[in-house]
Amino acid sequence: MSYGQALFDLNLPKKDKEDAREILRGSGELRDALGNPTISMKEKEKVIDQIFPSSITNFIKVICRNDDADCLEEAFGYCDELICREEKILRGTLSYVTKPDEEQTARIKEYLKKKYQAEQVELKLEEDASLIGGFVLKVHDMVLDRSLRGKLEKMKQNLAWR
């Protein structure tokens, strides 16, 4: 079983998982120390007990005992994916040149809800001037390219094939 699945199965409070993840993201030195084989497990456990929420300390200790501290971020990421599946939350990225207004964003979210039978859609909006115009929508392994850059690339391919 993966660490992400184990973290999901623990059903810990969302805030505790978020806090632990932020602590790890905020300190490269801490991540390095947890993965450092020259630091004793006793010292690592002392630090873990002092800075992480108590509900998640045993999980982090087990990962450190298995010398897998470098898997922590991946575990949190996979746990998030499992939670989204369970709660029917769809996450995607919308890259654009001109930011869509609220109505356009709402239409895109409704389209995605229907297509993926999702109850909620979370869109990360990213400005990308290299698209020239239009947008690119990425959800799971689906990419919907409605950009001018994409159309130009398609035209180049079609001309090259002739």
Side-chain angles (χ1 to χ4, degrees):
M1 177 184 336
S2 76
Y3 291 126
Q5 181 70 54
L7 183 57
F8 174 78
D9 291 342
L10 288 172
N11 200 24
L12 301 174
K14 182 179 180 179
K15 180 166 179 16
D16 289 357
K17 286 186 282 191
E18 288 172 356
D19 290 349
R21 194 175 200 176
E22 286 306 309
I23 291 167
L24 287 165
R25 282 183 174 165
S27 175
E29 291 174 352
L30 174 63
R31 288 190 310 274
D32 292 345
L34 292 176
N36 187 333
T38 64
I39 298 174
S40 73
M41 193 58 216
K42 187 174 183 175
E43 290 174 287
K44 290 177 187 180
E45 288 178 349
K46 185 177 176 183
V47 170
I48 291 167
D49 285 333
Q50 288 176 349
I51 63 173
F52 288 99
S54 61
S55 67
I56 202 166
T57 56
N58 286 335
F59 174 77
I60 295 172
K61 289 176 187 177
V62 167
I63 288 181
C64 289
R65 280 188 209 112
N66 291 335
D67 293 323
D68 286 332
D70 58 331
C71 295
L72 279 165
E73 182 60 35
E74 184 180 321
F76 281 104
Y78 187 63
C79 179
D80 286 348
E81 285 181 36
L82 293 173
I83 290 168
C84 285
R85 279 189 215 156
E86 182 178 76
E87 296 178 0
K88 294 189 175 187
I89 298 171
L90 180 68
R91 290 185 175 155
T93 303
L94 179 67
S95 302
Y96 58 85
V97 175
T98 304
K99 187 174 182 177
D101 62 31
E102 288 182 30
E103 183 182 322
Q104 291 168 320
T105 304
R107 283 197 315 260
I108 292 169
K109 286 181 178 182
E110 282 306 310
Y111 163 78
L112 292 171
K113 280 182 185 180
K114 288 178 186 171
K115 182 173 176 71
Y116 292 96
Q117 293 84 41
E119 291 181 14
Q120 182 181 342
V121 174
E122 296 176 359
L123 272 183
K124 180 179 176 184
L125 301 177
E126 295 180 344
E127 186 174 350
D128 184 352
S130 74
L131 297 176
I132 306 170
F135 65 91
V136 175
L137 178 62
K138 295 177 186 173
V139 176
H140 297 307
D141 59 347
M142 189 258 326
V143 177
L144 180 63
D145 188 342
R146 296 291 187 254
S147 69
L148 289 177
R149 180 183 70 196
K151 289 177 184 177
L152 289 172
E153 289 297 319
K154 217 175 213 179
M155 286 172 53
K156 283 182 190 176
Q157 287 176 353
N158 287 339
L159 290 172
W161 287 19
R162 290 184 179 192

